[in-house]
Amino acid sequence: MSARGGGRADTAGVGRATWAALRARRAAVARLAGWSAVEALPALLSGALVARAVDGGFLAGRLGTGLGWLAALGAAVLVGAVATGRTYRSLGAVVEPFRDDLAARVVRAALHDATRPGGRPDSAAAARLTHQVELVRDTFAGLLMVTRGFLFAAGAALIGLLALDPVVAALVGAPLVVGLVVFLAALPAMAGQQRRYVRAGEELGRAASTALAGHRDVRACGAAGRVVADVGARVADQAAAERTLARMSAVRSLSLGLGGWLPLAVLLLAAPWLVDRGLTAGAVLGALVYVSTGLQPALHALVQGVGGGGLRYVVTLDRILRACPDEAGGTPVGRPDAAPVPPDGEPPAVCARRLTFRYGVAARPVLDDAGVTLAAGEHLAVVGPSGAGKSTLAALLSGLLAPQAGSVRLGGVPVADAPPEALARLRALVPQEAYVFTGSLADNLRYLRPDADDATVAAALDALGAGPLAARLGGLAGEVEPAALSAGERQLIAAVRAYLSPAPLVLLDEATCHLDPAAEARVEEAFARRPGTLVVIAHRISSAVRARRVLVLDGARPVVGTHEELLARSATYRELVGHWDDRPAAARS
């Protein structure tokens, strides 16, 4: 596809998104249009009232009558001013929900990319959320204001001119239409140049930052000339794009001259002829008022607003739409309420076969041809030295990572085919760095089970020993501030949340490492009593002692067995026990 064709497609996408936003808020748009019509009352009456004041008042020697017509115009201006305030309220009802929809779209896309199998966080999402969304909101509001202002103000002025004299309206309308046609015809090229300018600035920033970051290597390699030439070329590209944009501004000036100033010149030149054919001096003056206070300012605002903020709106919204496609937004792959159905019978709770995973194409595999099968209700602890792949295994079992080879099934459901909403109903993962958000304690605990009643939540808090923490926070209605909590308190809240989850599988990935041994034992024992299957990535040997089976990862073939069996069979496990032995004396005897 050519660059020009791509530009048209981008503009079409922005147009569809804008039209959808307006259509979704038809009532607010209708209120905005209604108040805009009232706001245009001075533009509709100004010329006619000035004509009456001149012809029937001042030229006729009736000063009071002339002042009375001007007072009526002043009253219309006051009414218009009141309507202007109302238009801004209506504008907010259109613009703010659009901004909220875009922000939600950016967040959904960022979460989709970060949580899909093999996905990674997008560092640019923060810039889109804090800068680009706000820029779209501001420019969208400006576009609405200048567009509806032109439509109603220019429309009111043309109606007033028609009421004065249709010939005058034709004399004024013809150059106005020409000026608009020139401006609208140049808009696609202006949008393309705006995109070119933005891309040139980004390329210059990347080239300059790379050169500055590696300036020592550049000098050591004697590549200064080449690097300077490369950055200079980017500077020249940006300068050329900026000069082109400046030349494009001449098109705006041309359209303003044709549509705004030419009608005034035409009226002045045609004034003698118009008077000869019976137009009064007041009517001529009223026509000049319509053009100078109605048409000309409205056209100027439209051309400057669309030619400036409008182009930024198109370019920025296009970047958001491209970075946050619909499939990452409100339309997940697969129905969110339709989890894959496992095959008939009683499949294992976890069935992972021939798993191979490496962080990088040429990297040594963290897991190589590994597998594990767990029946429903089993309690497995995973141990091994640092870097053996324990957390990687947890991420593979939970679907957060996709293996290069092998497969994972939870309850007979292939993890690779399950959308995130379905996986959330199959397993609950509590990582080492617990996620706690600002809000009430009840909202944090019910996040995975919104229908849990207070009694159920209280029982979970008591089972995991989190009752004192809940009481200190003020009960379920108490406010949670993540920064005010210790790492262990955040882990405890996340553990209760997972305990309440309806998911049949819970994976604790060093999820209690910030708790003391007694608190950790209470949490793990509570999960062991909970119906379902439990996998614990252990950081204390006591977690392995409490488990029914232990999986040892040591870089070779994984070994599975009970604590006693592994003491006899696995040198790695015996070494870990000797290094890790933090059990009470009674447990060691």
Side-chain angles (χ1 to χ4, degrees):
M1 180 180 293
S2 67
R4 184 177 296 275
R8 285 197 296 269
D10 297 343
T11 305
V14 170
R16 286 193 298 270
T18 304
W19 177 246
L22 295 175
R23 191 174 61 234
R25 293 151 191 102
R26 288 186 289 267
V29 172
R31 287 194 299 272
L32 178 62
W35 285 113
S36 297
V38 178
E39 184 188 25
L41 189 62
L44 177 66
L45 300 178
S46 59
L49 293 179
V50 166
R52 290 178 178 271
V54 171
D55 291 334
F58 302 127
L59 291 181
R62 293 193 288 270
L63 180 62
T65 301
L67 292 176
W69 286 117
L70 293 182
L73 178 58
V77 170
L78 289 177
V79 172
V82 173
T84 299
R86 298 289 183 177
T87 60
Y88 279 100
R89 293 187 183 181
S90 302
L91 179 70
V94 178
V95 173
E96 295 303 323
F98 182 46
R99 188 274 307 270
D100 294 342
D101 289 347
L102 284 178
R105 180 173 183 149
V106 170
V107 171
R108 283 196 300 265
L111 292 175
H112 177 270
D113 289 341
T115 58
R116 63 182 172 83
R120 294 187 181 277
D122 182 6
S123 59
R128 281 193 288 272
L129 187 63
T130 58
H131 175 65
Q132 293 183 7
V133 169
E134 292 304 315
L135 181 60
V136 169
R137 189 271 301 269
D138 293 342
T139 51
F140 182 51
L143 278 176
L144 280 180
M145 291 301 286
V146 299
T147 303
R148 61 96 214 175
F150 174 79
L151 291 175
F152 286 94
L158 287 174
I159 292 173
L161 286 168
L162 281 171
L164 282 179
D165 191 319
V167 175
V168 175
L171 290 174
V172 169
L176 174 67
V177 171
V178 172
L180 278 175
V181 169
V182 169
F183 175 67
L184 294 177
L187 269 182
M190 294 167 68
Q193 291 302 324
Q194 182 73 26
R195 288 192 189 92
R196 180 190 168 199
Y197 175 71
V198 171
R199 285 196 297 267
E202 292 176 347
E203 291 297 327
L204 173 59
R206 276 193 285 267
S209 63
T210 301
L212 291 173
H215 71 281
R216 296 178 64 186
D217 289 340
V218 169
R219 293 196 63 183
C221 295
R226 179 177 177 179
V227 172
V228 169
D230 182 61
V231 175
R234 301 293 185 272
V235 172
D237 289 343
Q238 188 188 39
E242 193 162 6
R243 283 194 296 270
T244 304
L245 273 181
R247 287 194 294 270
M248 297 298 291
S249 66
V251 177
R252 295 203 295 265
S253 300
L254 176 62
S255 60
L256 283 175
L258 291 173
W261 291 104
L262 187 57
L264 281 175
V266 169
L267 271 180
L268 291 174
L269 291 173
W273 175 72
L274 291 171
V275 172
D276 288 343
R277 62 182 298 275
L279 197 68
T280 64
V284 173
L285 183 58
L288 290 172
V289 169
Y290 276 129
V291 174
S292 61
T293 65
L295 288 177
Q296 194 181 69
L299 181 63
H300 184 274
L302 179 72
V303 169
Q304 296 298 335
V306 175
L311 296 181
R312 289 192 295 274
Y313 171 79
V314 170
V315 172
T316 308
L317 181 56
D318 173 60
R319 295 175 73 82
I320 292 176
L321 296 179
R322 284 178 174 273
C324 309
D326 287 339
E327 59 266 27
T331 310
V333 179
R335 289 178 51 197
D337 57 344
V341 178
D344 295 335
E346 289 290 336
V350 177
C351 182
R353 295 187 177 184
R354 307 185 69 85
L355 293 180
T356 298
F357 184 86
R358 53 170 57 88
Y359 291 97
V361 177
R364 179 183 64 83
V366 179
L367 295 173
D368 189 8
D369 201 32
V372 61
T373 300
L374 299 177
E378 276 209 73
H379 177 182
L380 175 75
V382 182
V383 301
S386 178
K390 304 185 295 296
S391 292
T392 300
L393 177 63
L396 291 169
L397 295 181
S398 61
L400 296 184
L401 290 177
Q404 279 87 34
S407 64
V408 177
R409 289 175 176 265
L410 301 183
V413 176
V415 166
D417 298 333
E421 295 80 6
L423 284 176
R425 290 190 293 275
L426 294 172
R427 54 88 179 109
L429 171 67
V430 186
Q432 181 176 351
E433 297 301 326
Y435 172 61
V436 177
F437 54 86
T438 300
S440 70
L441 178 61
D443 289 341
N444 271 277
L445 298 181
R446 291 190 175 112
Y447 187 75
L448 298 177
R449 188 179 171 186
D451 60 343
D453 56 30
D454 288 353
T456 302
V457 176
L461 287 167
D462 182 64
L464 276 75
L469 173 60
R472 184 175 67 79
L473 293 175
L476 295 180
E479 285 296 310
V480 173
E481 296 182 12
L485 298 175
S486 68
E489 289 170 335
R490 290 194 296 271
Q491 284 189 334
L492 202 52
I493 291 175
V496 176
R497 179 195 300 150
Y499 185 88
L500 287 167
S501 165
L505 170 66
V506 173
L507 300 109
L508 303 180
D509 184 8
E510 298 195 21
T512 56
C513 63
H514 296 297
L515 300 179
D516 60 63
E520 179 185 65
R522 182 163 183 175
V523 168
E524 289 185 6
E525 289 167 358
F527 274 104
R529 293 190 300 269
R530 175 186 181 272
T533 307
L534 176 63
V535 175
V536 179
I537 307 300
H539 72 285
R540 291 189 178 104
I541 198 62
S542 52
S543 297
V545 173
R546 284 188 289 268
R548 297 178 192 172
R549 287 201 297 162
V550 181
L551 171 65
V552 181
L553 298 177
D554 61 355
R557 181 74 60 181
V559 181
V560 181
T562 64
H563 171 67
E564 289 75 14
E565 290 171 345
L566 291 174
L567 285 175
R569 293 168 47 199
S570 172
T572 299
Y573 189 68
R574 287 194 298 272
E575 183 179 348
L576 288 172
V577 170
H579 176 71
W580 239 357
D581 203 347
D582 56 356
R583 296 168 295 152
R588 292 195 297 267
S589 61

